[in-house]
């Protein structure tokens, strides 16, 4: 497992009974997590003293219950990157801290490439953490997400990290349709990053089901790789889509057409209280 263990502003303090106890700078949050099926004792005193807790509703959805004054938004830092976060709908904060392992990977890949120009396509780009990471290394990035609100948030993260003047295009669009247009336009990319949701809708109501759509989508994505591509980074939070399944897909499509090799593994966060690691999805990486 690849573990995101270099955080200072974030800490997974404990996890038990379907919940995570987390520190985001000084704010203590409790959030549900379906992976946490164990029921170890919640002995840490902060379980009883959170800043806020997200409580699911029996009828679907849920809401935050604040026990202390929580800022409407605040910032967390990872190394030289700065991100704006807030307590938002469906338990989220606008950042997935386990993804730090992938930010570090793409940064080192760009830094060590020796290339004057590296073109990155970031699909399902959400609030732009990977975009910001690539811009920090001087890459040019096309950031694509179907949500206008998330794209505006990503721009704010670029500003907070001091890379707003980098070479970046912010695109609000359905990812499949955008990639198809890029093929017709002849645009190519050295690195493609994909963080697709399990289920989603495009800006015009396009439906996305990960298990049904991913293979066909990867066949399309392979066509926008440059003549000298560097990597494809495919991430998934869906428990039914294992690292091995994603590796098989990349092997069957990208390795078959481009050579190279694929690695895949779970990614996770260290748990301070137990010394264990909470799995938080998986990433498959193809490299030339």
């Amino acid at each position: 497992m690849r573990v995101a263990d270099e955080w200072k502003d974030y800490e997974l303090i404990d996890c038990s009974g379907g919940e995570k106890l987390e520190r985001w700078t000084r704010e203590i949050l409790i959030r549900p997590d379906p992976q946490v099926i164990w029921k170890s004792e919640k002995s840490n005193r902060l379980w009883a003293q959170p800043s806020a807790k997200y409580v699911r509703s029996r009828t679907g959805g849920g809401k935050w219950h604040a026990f202390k004054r929580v800022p409407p938004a605040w910032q967390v830092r990872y190394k030289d990157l700065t991100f704006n976060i807030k307590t938002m709908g469906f338990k989220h904060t606008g950042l997935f801290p386990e993804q730090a392992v992938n930010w570090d990977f793409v940064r080192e890949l760009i830094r060590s490439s020796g290339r004057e120009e590296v073109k990155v396509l970031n699909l399902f780009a959400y609030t732009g953490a990977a975009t910001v990471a690539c811009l920090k290394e001087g890459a040019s990035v096309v950031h694509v997400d179907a949500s206008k609100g998330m794209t505006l948030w990503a721009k704010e993260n670029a500003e907070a990290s001091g890379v707003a003047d980098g070479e970046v295009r912010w695109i609000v669009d359905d990812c499949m349709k955008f990639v198809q247009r890029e093929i017709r336009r002849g645009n190519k990319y050295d690195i493609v990053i994909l963080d697709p949701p399990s289920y989603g809708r495009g800006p015009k109501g396009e439906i996305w089901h990960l298990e049904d759509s991913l293979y066909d989508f990867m066949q399309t994505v392979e066509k926008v790789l440059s003549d000298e591509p560097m990597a494809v980074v495919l991430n998934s939070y869906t428990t039914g889509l294992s690292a091995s399944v994603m590796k098989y897909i990349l092997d069957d499509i990208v390795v078959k057409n481009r050579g190279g090799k694929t690695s895949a593994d779970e990614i996770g966060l260290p748990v301070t209280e137990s010394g264990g690691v909470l799995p938080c999805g998986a990433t498959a990486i193809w490299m030339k």
Side-chain angles (χ1 to χ4, degrees), residues 63-270:
K63 64 179 181 179
W64 286 95
H65 293 262
F67 301 96
K68 300 176 183 178
R69 184 184 179 279
V70 178
W74 70 102
Q75 292 185 331
V76 299
R77 293 175 177 81
Y78 179 75
K79 298 181 178 178
D80 57 349
L81 307 178
T82 301
F83 304 109
N84 299 286
I85 64 168
K86 59 185 175 183
T87 52
M88 53 188 291
F90 195 61
K91 76 178 182 180
H92 293 305
T93 63
L95 191 69
F96 294 93
E98 68 276 3
Q99 286 297 318
V101 294
N102 289 330
W103 310 334
D104 288 343
F105 168 78
V106 293
R107 291 188 69 173
E108 177 57 29
L109 184 63
I110 295 166
R111 188 184 305 128
S112 62
S113 69
R115 301 190 186 188
E116 292 186 5
E117 183 180 28
V118 175
K119 294 183 177 180
V120 179
L121 177 60
N122 187 13
L123 299 169
F124 309 98
Y126 196 49
T127 58
T131 295
V132 169
C134 293
L135 289 171
K136 205 71 171 177
E137 296 302 326
S140 65
V141 184
V142 175
H143 170 113
V144 188
D145 196 273
S147 168
K148 183 178 180 180
M150 293 299 106
T151 304
L152 290 172
W153 193 336
K155 291 181 181 180
E156 293 171 359
N157 283 337
E159 181 72 32
S161 288
V163 293
D165 59 349
E167 190 176 346
V168 57
R169 292 172 59 206
W170 306 101
I171 307 293
V172 178
D173 201 353
D174 174 75
C175 288
M176 173 63 92
K177 290 183 177 179
F178 177 80
V179 173
Q180 290 170 338
R181 285 198 300 273
E182 289 293 87
I183 293 170
R184 293 194 295 269
R185 289 187 285 242
N187 290 332
K188 304 286 186 178
Y189 298 89
D190 304 307
I191 300 172
V192 179
I193 301 167
L194 308 93
D195 200 352
S198 300
Y199 173 85
R201 287 184 179 270
K204 295 183 180 179
E206 301 89 347
I207 302 295
W208 167 273
H209 287 285
L210 184 59
E211 289 89 341
D212 297 335
S213 306
L214 182 60
Y215 187 85
D216 291 343
F217 186 58
M218 285 308 309
Q219 288 183 309
T220 305
V221 166
E222 186 271 331
K223 294 180 174 65
V224 296
L225 289 173
S226 68
D227 293 338
E228 297 183 5
M230 296 165 61
V232 174
V233 181
L234 173 60
N235 191 73
S236 173
Y237 301 96
T238 304
T239 54
L241 195 66
S242 68
S244 298
V245 168
M246 291 193 294
K247 182 182 186 302
Y248 198 104
I249 291 172
L250 292 185
D251 284 345
D252 197 53
I253 296 171
V254 189
V255 173
K256 185 178 292 183
N257 292 318
R258 304 280 183 154
K261 61 181 180 179
T262 306
S263 62
D265 206 346
E266 288 184 299
I267 58 175
L269 290 164

